[in-house]
């Protein structure tokens, strides 16, 4: 996020580069930078003749270079944006000749999503000299909640840790999907609101009581009644609660619990740092550790590996996922 802010700040100051090569696994920031350039470099009256959007599947690298070498009409610059440039991955290195001597009146933006160019080759090295290479890395799951908090704080909203965790567990680490849901919430909630689990449930449709977050907590507390209620809900709503997601999240939880047992310093701040979790959730691990000693945790981790395979249809004899989840819960509590 800091790199994005710096790129935007430089553009605002007039320090505009002739090439912006935006690459990486996380598309959200690639789109954010590209959209900012598209909306802000040229005045509205200049865009008709001097701004064009190309798509990698429809053009060649030679086409891109040809357009980039044109001179602007009645404007200081022209902007050429290439979207889905990853479709040109086999020939993208040919752009290095242009990058050695780019047209100074052209701003060329390459959106190279879900991939990255080889940093040892000429294209990367030449663009680094004349322009900007930005790599948008996928956030780890434990980083996404903090990203949500930072984004909302800049927009005069806050969010409770549980509500943030619900979004991450339901939407994964795709920042674009999460941002879309946050935009929906901002439409119905006034500035200054702290987004709560109730807001998530009412406006996005994620149950605040029957979700993987609450299942994990119930298991950690050995609350069998609550855990089986949640599993029964999952069994009745399999499309919204795929087994593969549930098993994966429980596997991560018990793997972290194993790590917790191995810590010599169980001070909450150290636990949060070592497990890479929000300090708000440390007590859940303390409680779970009382109910699941290290040997039992190791057994549960092995069981989760077994059921991960079964959930994918191996050696499960077409058993419904709801029944597999109930059997898994029995094994965890036994």
């Amino acid at each position: 996020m800091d790199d994005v802010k710096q790129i935007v700040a430089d553009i605002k100051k007039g320090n505009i580069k002739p090439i912006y090569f935006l690459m990486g696994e996380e598309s959200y920031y690639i789109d954010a930078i590209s959209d900012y350039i598209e909306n802000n470099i040229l005045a509205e009256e200049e865009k008709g003749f001097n701004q064009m959007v190309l798509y990698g599947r429809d053009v060649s690298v030679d086409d891109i270079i040809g357009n980039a070498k044109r001179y602007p009409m009645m404007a200081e610059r022209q902007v050429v944006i290439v979207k889905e440039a990853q479709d040109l991955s086999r020939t993208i290195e040919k752009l290095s000749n242009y990058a050695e001597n780019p047209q100074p009146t052209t701003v060329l933006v390459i959106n190279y999503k879900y991939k990255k160019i080889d940093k040892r080759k000429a294209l990367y090295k030449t663009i680094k000299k004349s322009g900007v290479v930005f790599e948008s890395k996928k956030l780890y799951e434990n980083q996404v909640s903090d990203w949500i908090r930072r984004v909302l704080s800049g927009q005069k909203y806050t969010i409770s840790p549980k509500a943030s965790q619900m979004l991450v567990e339901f939407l994964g680490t795709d920042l674009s999907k999460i941002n879309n849901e946050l935009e929906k919430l901002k439409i119905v909630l006034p500035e200054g609101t702290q987004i709560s689990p109730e807001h998530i449930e009412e406006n996005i449709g994620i149950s605040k009581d029957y979700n993987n977050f609450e299942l994990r907590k119930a298991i950690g507390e050995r609350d069998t009644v609550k855990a089986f209620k949640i599993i029964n809900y999952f069994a009745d709503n399999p499309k919204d609660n795929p087994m593969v997601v549930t098993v994966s999240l429980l596997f991560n939880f018990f793997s972290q619990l194993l790590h917790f047992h191995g810590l010599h310093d169980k001070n909450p701040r150290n636990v949060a740092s070592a497990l890479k979790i929000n300090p708000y959730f440390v007590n859940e691990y303390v409680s779970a550790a009382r109910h699941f000693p290290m040997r039992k945790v190791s057994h549960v981790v092995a069981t989760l590996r077994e059921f991960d395979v079964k959930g994918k249809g191996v050696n499960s004899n077409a058993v419904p996922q709801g029944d597999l989840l109930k059997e898994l819960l029995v094994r965890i509590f036994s």
Side-chain angles (χ1 to χ4, degrees):
M1 186 180 285
D2 291 337
D3 289 343
V4 177
K5 288 180 178 178
Q6 187 60 54
I7 291 171
V8 171
D10 286 343
I11 292 172
K12 286 181 177 178
K13 293 175 185 175
N15 181 17
I16 300 171
K17 301 296 184 181
I19 305 177
Y20 291 86
F21 198 100
L22 315 175
M23 64 181 187
E25 290 296 317
E26 180 49 68
S27 64
Y28 175 81
Y29 285 119
I30 293 174
D31 288 335
I33 296 171
S34 181
D35 290 347
Y36 184 83
I37 292 173
E38 184 174 353
N39 294 326
N40 293 279
I41 295 287
L42 299 179
E44 284 302 319
E45 63 270 17
E46 296 174 328
K47 291 179 180 179
F49 291 111
N50 297 292
Q51 184 158 286
M52 65 182 66
V53 177
L54 308 173
Y55 289 86
R57 65 178 177 272
D58 299 325
V59 298
S60 67
V61 173
D62 289 337
D63 294 330
I64 295 169
I65 294 172
N67 282 292
K69 284 184 174 180
R70 289 193 314 122
Y71 289 97
M73 293 181 63
M74 297 177 290
E76 184 181 351
R77 295 183 178 87
Q78 70 158 346
V79 175
V80 179
I81 299 172
V82 185
K83 298 189 176 183
E84 310 301 337
Q86 66 274 11
D87 290 339
L88 295 165
S89 59
R90 293 183 179 179
T91 57
I92 197 69
E93 279 293 325
K94 291 171 65 178
L95 193 60
S96 59
N97 290 332
Y98 173 80
E100 287 178 0
N101 186 28
Q103 183 76 3
T105 55
T106 294
V107 180
L108 176 60
V109 184
I110 307 292
N111 294 341
Y112 198 79
K113 294 180 179 178
Y114 318 117
K115 293 183 179 181
K116 55 185 178 179
I117 53 175
D118 192 331
K119 296 179 181 179
R120 299 167 297 180
K121 293 188 176 180
L123 180 58
Y124 177 83
K125 293 176 181 178
T126 53
I127 295 178
K128 283 288 285 184
K129 291 178 183 177
S130 60
V132 170
V133 180
F134 170 76
E135 183 178 351
S136 187
K137 297 180 179 179
K138 202 82 172 174
L139 295 185
Y140 293 111
E141 187 176 306
N142 57 24
Q143 298 173 311
V144 179
S145 288
D146 185 55
W147 179 86
I148 293 171
R149 180 187 59 77
R150 291 174 65 187
V151 166
L152 287 172
S153 66
Q155 299 167 349
K156 300 181 181 178
Y157 289 85
T158 57
I159 187 168
S160 74
K162 179 179 175 180
S164 178
Q165 190 71 17
M166 286 169 64
L167 285 174
V168 176
E169 291 189 356
F170 188 73
L171 299 170
T173 60
D174 188 321
L175 302 187
S176 295
K177 286 184 179 179
I178 293 172
N179 187 66
N180 287 340
E181 298 303 332
L182 294 178
E183 290 297 320
K184 293 177 187 176
L185 288 170
K186 284 160 54 184
I187 291 172
V188 297
L189 301 175
E191 287 185 359
T193 299
Q194 180 177 64
I195 297 171
S196 67
E198 288 75 17
H199 292 136
I200 300 293
E201 182 175 48
E202 291 167 10
N203 297 286
I204 299 178
I206 308 171
S207 172
K208 66 181 177 62
D209 297 315
Y210 297 96
N211 56 63
N212 286 304
F213 171 82
E214 291 296 331
L215 175 63
R216 185 185 74 182
K217 185 176 179 182
I219 291 173
E221 295 173 351
R222 290 195 77 91
D223 186 339
T224 56
V225 173
K226 183 176 179 180
F228 274 102
K229 279 184 179 179
I230 296 171
I231 288 297
N232 287 331
Y233 179 85
F234 286 3
D236 293 337
N237 301 274
K239 288 185 179 179
D240 294 331
N241 303 279
M243 179 176 173
V244 64
V245 174
T246 298
V247 173
S248 174
L249 291 170
L250 289 177
F251 181 84
N252 289 339
F253 175 67
F254 278 97
S255 297
Q256 288 175 313
L257 191 56
L258 201 60
H259 188 184
F260 175 87
H261 275 297
L263 293 175
H264 294 295
D265 180 2
K266 291 187 171 61
N267 177 280
R269 182 175 295 180
N270 183 62
V271 171
S273 175
L275 301 187
K276 296 182 173 59
I277 60 173
N278 188 309
Y280 176 86
F281 298 112
V282 168
N283 285 338
E284 285 189 24
Y285 289 83
V286 174
S287 174
R290 289 198 296 267
H291 294 116
F292 292 89
M294 183 177 283
R295 181 175 293 182
K296 176 61 177 176
V297 173
S298 298
H299 172 73
V300 171
V301 168
T303 300
L304 287 164
R305 285 199 178 100
E306 175 189 339
F307 276 79
D308 178 55
V309 174
K310 286 184 176 181
K312 294 169 181 173
V314 180
N315 298 325
S316 62
N317 297 320
V319 177
Q321 291 197 351
D323 292 342
L324 285 174
L325 283 172
K326 292 172 187 176
E327 182 186 348
L328 171 62
L329 213 51
V330 170
R331 295 272 294 275
I332 288 174
F333 284 134
S334 63

